[in-house]
Amino acid sequence: MKTDKPFVHFMELNKEIYLFDVNTNMISRVNERVYRYLTTNERVPELNVEDMILIENMKKAGMLKPNQIKKIEHPMTNYVEDVVENNMTRITLQVTQNCNFRCEYCVYSGSYHNRVHNNKRMDWDTAKTALDFLCEHSRNSSEITLSFYGGEPLLEIELIKRCVNYAKAIFKGKMLRFNLTTNASLLADDVILYMQKEKFLLTISLDGPQEVHDKNRTFANGKRGTYDVVMKHIKRIKEIAPDFVDSISFNAVLDDENEFKTINKFFMEDIIVKDMIVSTTYINDMSRKSAIIHNNEDNYIEICRGKFRGMMYMLDRVPRNSISKMVIREITDIERVIHKRMVSKQVMQPIAHPGGPCVPGAHRPFVNAYGKIFPCERVNETCDDMCIGNIYDGFDMEAIKKLLNVGKMTESACKQCWAFNYCTQCGVAADDGGRMTSDARLAKCSKIRNSIDNMLRDYIVLKECGCDFTKVL
């Protein structure tokens, strides 16, 4: 009789059974007999010599051990103070909370609990203090990234220019980078040339062809038709700053009411954008007042078809130019998350924390227009649990450690979760409209486990078909 249940996850795929060993991150194919032996407390008399050898070899590799997790604690807990006090590398400044657009799915649109558009802007004293704060806390860093966020940040182009000049003065000797996300409506010629001169990385919000883009992205005065002005400025960039094009990418927000096939065709074939990079996000469901329902079956089929082509490219079955730019990240994640996973006898430690949280204050700290510091721009600014200090008094280390160890809120469930190392939940996912709760965190677990399970299955298929994961998408 077996008393210690192995910490494993089973997947049935193409009439085969695969075992993912949580403690080692190893994957092994097993037969029905071995599966029964590992999942029941009954003896399996039909185990043959080959079965016993397989089981013994897995054990020699460190597999089939019981759950090793004894305590939830992030490994950076004792080091985080030094990281944020001396090793910051970037900061994002919310230069305005206003915008000249009123996109229906924007986090400032009124559809969310945390933000609304208003006339609050960051003044120079706040911006300067934030940059001084970054300088003071980046003594050991050789590279610095300064990002500008809104609202629409180009409403404050003069403040941005002043920040850039000041940053160049106080960060001498360090590699300095600038980036900005914009709706592109304010990209006049002088702004384009300025961005090119200062080597900005620019992300332009563009959802697809006119009928798609104009559906959700309207002007603040209520007029529709933002697509024309956006495309005019993108075209103008190509005319007056062709070398700047390589520093520009698009972000498309996918609304399930729009046809993915139409959007994909636009980014693959439109003469102005087809050679440029595009990334996709779904409408943000964090802190949203009403739930978003994804039930467009045709879109799901098209996305799966795109992923299939991407996998066929990885197997040298189709040419690169047939791969949709809209699904590249899903394919590359298989290589980045699964293929490059750490595999050893001691992956899982007795004291560990689920994957997901960044180091608040170090990864992508966000300073709002009032000078408060948050882990990133995605958080709910009205949630006290999300604030990790301010640029005047410094970091709140207790708040940082609480967010870093957000898994403690759901410790019992996390300890038993086979997807422990692949969890993507940070504190943002635990926000329940103003405070962090265990219920809000647990509500998202099933979706994450399904995503990891699907990624493992895709990896197994590619591996079984001979993919060596050396191709670049």
Side-chain angles (χ1 to χ4, degrees), residues 76-117:
M76 288 297 296
T77 301
N78 295 327
Y79 308 102
V80 64
E81 185 167 0
D82 178 62
V83 172
V84 300
E85 291 294 344
N86 301 294
N87 298 279
M88 288 182 68
T89 60
R90 65 185 305 152
I91 206 167
T92 299
L93 301 182
Q94 183 190 58
V95 293
T96 181
Q97 294 183 351
N98 204 353
C99 186
N100 59 336
F101 279 17
R102 289 296 183 270
C103 304
E104 293 186 14
Y105 48 64
C106 177
V107 293
Y108 291 90
S109 65
S111 299
Y112 295 80
H113 292 288
N114 54 336
R115 295 165 172 169
V116 292
H117 283 296

Side-chain angles (χ1 to χ4, degrees), residues 365-376:
F366 170 69
V367 177
N368 76 356
Y370 298 91
K372 288 185 175 182
I373 308 173
F374 299 88
C376 72

Side-chain angles (χ1 to χ4, degrees), residues 153-190:
L154 290 182
L155 287 170
E156 300 297 333
I157 184 61
E158 295 307 317
L159 177 63
I160 290 172
K161 290 179 178 180
R162 197 169 181 181
C163 287
V164 168
N165 288 336
Y166 188 66
K168 288 162 70 175
I170 65 174
F171 291 111
K172 286 182 178 179
K174 297 180 186 283
M175 175 71 74
L176 190 56
R177 298 184 178 92
F178 306 105
N179 61 54
L180 180 148
T181 299
T182 176
N183 61 33
S185 64
L186 301 176
L187 284 174
D189 286 4
D190 62 320

Side-chain angles (χ1 to χ4, degrees), residues 100 152-158 160-161 180 182-197 200 202 204 228-241 244 248:
N100 59 336
E152 171 48 52
L154 290 182
L155 287 170
E156 300 297 333
I157 184 61
E158 295 307 317
I160 290 172
K161 290 179 178 180
L180 180 148
T182 176
N183 61 33
S185 64
L186 301 176
L187 284 174
D189 286 4
D190 62 320
V191 177
I192 293 170
L193 295 174
Y194 172 77
M195 295 283 164
Q196 180 185 41
K197 179 174 76 74
F200 266 72
L202 204 63
I204 294 176
D228 286 338
V229 68
V230 172
M231 293 300 286
K232 180 182 75 172
H233 288 151
I234 295 171
K235 185 178 180 181
R236 187 62 176 156
I237 291 171
K238 289 192 163 189
E239 291 172 350
I240 67 171
F244 187 41
I248 297 173

